[in-house]
Each structure stands twice: as C-alpha cells, then as structure tokens.
Amino acid sequence: MNIESLLIHGGVDGDKTTGAVSVPIYQTSTYKQSGLGENKGYEYSRTGNPTREALEKLIAELEEGKNGLAFASGMAAITAVLTLFKSGDKIIISDNVYGGTYRVLDKVFKNFDLNYELIDTSDLEKVESSITKEVKAIYIESPTNPLMDITDIKKISEIAKKNNLLTIVDNTFMTPYLQKPIELGADIVLHSATKYLGGHSDLVAGLVVVNDEKLAERLYFIQNSTGGVLGPFDSWLLIRGIKTLSVRMDRHLENAAYIAQFLNESPFVEKVYYPGLESHKGHEIQKKQARGYGAIISFVLKKDIDIKKFFKNLKLITFGESLGGVESLMCHPATMTHAAIPYEIRQKVGIVDNLARLSVGIENKEDLVKDLKKSMELSK
Ligand SMILES: *Cc1c(COP(=O)(O)O)cnc(C)c1O
C-alpha cells in the first residue's frame, strides 16, 4: 500500500465489532477480568489501551518499523528513549537540536551522569572522531530546528553500526510522508506528534518507532514503568489528524516553496534557511534522502528592520510557539524555542536575534506573502 492509503487505512482500520469506520475511543482506565489470570488482553490502561494501540500500530506501519509507542508529549517520548542509557554513557547530539531536548539532557539527565556532546552532525568526520567508548548513540534531527541543517542519515547510521551505537532520529519536521529514517538505517525514530502528525494545533503527543524487537520490549517496559502514556482521546485525535497528512503536507510544501522564493528575493531579508533552495548547504542530501523539503523556513531580517515590530505587524500569520499546524506560525527562536540554549552557543550556531522562524501553514500562499511583505514594510 502506498503511504497516502496507509495514512487512512493503516494500523487498526475501523472497529471489527460494530463496523464503525472510526476507531472507538476506549475511555477507560481498567478492564473487567473474567477470572484469575483471564482477560481479553487488557488489564489497565497505562499498560494497554485499544485506542492507543491502534495509533501505535499505525505509526509503526507508517515509519516501516516493527513497533510504535505513544507518549503524552514529544518530550515524554524523548525522555523514555533517553532512559535506555546508563550513567556514564554519552550521547552525541546535533548541535542545534530542539531546545527542550537540549534542556532535558543538560538539566535532568546530566544529574544522573548521562552525558552528551553537541556536534555538527552534518560533518561526518567530526562525528567519527568524537566517538569514544562512552558514546552509546548518535541522536540527530534532520533538518534541524531552526537552521535547517541537513545530516546524511544513511551515512550516520553506517558510522553508528560500525561502532555499535544506536542511531536515533527526531523526524518531527519531516514526518514519514517525506522521510523514512528506518529505511535509511536508523534504529529509533521519534516524533513530537504535536506538530505535523496531529496537524491542527489541538493536542500534545509524542511517538516512538523502533525496528528491533528487543529494543521494543525494553521501551515498552519503560513506557509502562514510567507511565508517560498518551490518553485515549488524544490518541484518537491523533489518528484523525494523521489521515489527512498527505494532503496537508502537499499544500505545506507548495506554500513553503513559494514563500522561500519570495523571502530569498526580498530586499528586507539578509539570509534564508530552507533546504529547498539550491543555495542551501544540505540541499543535495535532502533531495536524496527525503521526498520534499518541508515547510519550515528560517530567515534573518536586515538590521534596519525592527524584528519586534515585524512580529507585531503580522496580521494573518500567528505569532507563537510550535509548528506544523494548518495555520502559519511565526516565532523568535532566540527568546522562545531556543531560550534554554545559552547565548554563546546560540551565537555560535547562528541563532541570532534577528532570526525568525516561519512554520508555513496551508492558507492561500498569496495571502501569506502579502502579510509578510506588509509587515516588513511597516517595521523599518
Ligand atoms: C516540539 C518538538 C519536540 C518536543 O515535543 P513536545 O510535543 O512539545 O513535547 C521535540 N522535537 C522537535 C523537533 C520538536 O519540534
């Protein structure tokens, strides 16, 4: 089945008992057991819930992995994956990962002596030379947030395999519709399903997919033991959102290409970060490893534009955190999504104060360009 069909019919297709085309919301905490050790496969909803299970099967099929797991947020999913490691272990992470990922490693896991090293993972030699016997995994985002650096997932996976390390990919920006990390050799795929998979800015959720039964068993044990599971209603909402991913994503891509072009030619813009532009550093790798360039565009405004005014003057585009919803969202990485990253590191990696990040929605593209243009003109 092609992914457009799988998005709609994958996992558990409808309800076997009643024929309902929508998977029912099993809003229950527990299950009646007919006797000692006799049950219908469910005992308690932290351990298993049919609606959550339908979602978990669906994401596993979409990512072409063996097992899926659903969590209460992207951070809960990431935290669960990080607890696979032990004190003394070290993880190599992309140097401009999602701010929350950096924060949980730096402020929570460091207390347990689980260490990390920030590396530009698009530089394969740097990655290879940073591997010591403490390193147990390479954790990447591609494209990264917000500068859209591209890492060659296949090459990273090869380096990881050679050194007996796990490859973990946060696939939030791409979704399985555009990029399949497991096919490229990754062991674990992560999602903040809050973003494109949900797609409507109406829920917070996280997903994990693994390609190995043993790893799946360990993660399932962690999920049940630590308990950050996704509730039945949000699981259902996410299944609902996923059904329209292909049509939404097609429009996101069309709009993003159009807006990237506009920004690239605008006299008010200093620099545009979008993998779809031929001038973008990772353009060729992205073209090879994914089916599209995504719909997140970051850009640096020229010094004579007051970025505060620019944000205030936007009318159609919403100013706020998050991304991947049907509505276009603009944010200021330096003070919002990446505020947890120290100033010096931000400057070093290029998250400057005049940088804006746009999550291109599925509105009319001319309307979006008009809004950007007007707001820039008013903000000099
Ligand atoms: C938002 C986001 C997360 C965190 O997910 P939550 O659902 O907000 O907990 C992780 N990684 C990336 C790339 C994200 O954009």
Side-chain angles (χ1 to χ4, degrees), residues 73-76 78 98 101 141 145 170 172-173 192-195 204-205 323:
S73 69
M75 284 322 302
I78 291 166
Y98 179 70
T101 305
E141 282 176 30
N145 178 16
D170 182 334
T172 301
F173 274 35
S192 168
T194 312
K195 317 293 167 56
V204 173
L323 58 103

Side-chain angles (χ1 to χ4, degrees), residues 2-15 20-24 54-55 58 62 177 196-200 235-249:
N2 288 300
I3 191 156
E4 292 83 352
S5 312
L6 206 55
L7 287 164
I8 295 157
H9 298 288
V12 177
D13 195 11
D15 179 35
V21 295
S22 165
V23 171
L55 168 67
L58 175 61
L62 293 174
Y177 183 61
Y196 289 104
L197 292 174
H200 296 75
S235 296
W236 177 83
L237 211 48
L238 189 46
I239 294 171
R240 185 187 203 266
I242 287 173
K243 286 186 198 291
T244 56
L245 180 67
S246 72
V247 283
R248 281 186 286 113
M249 212 38 127

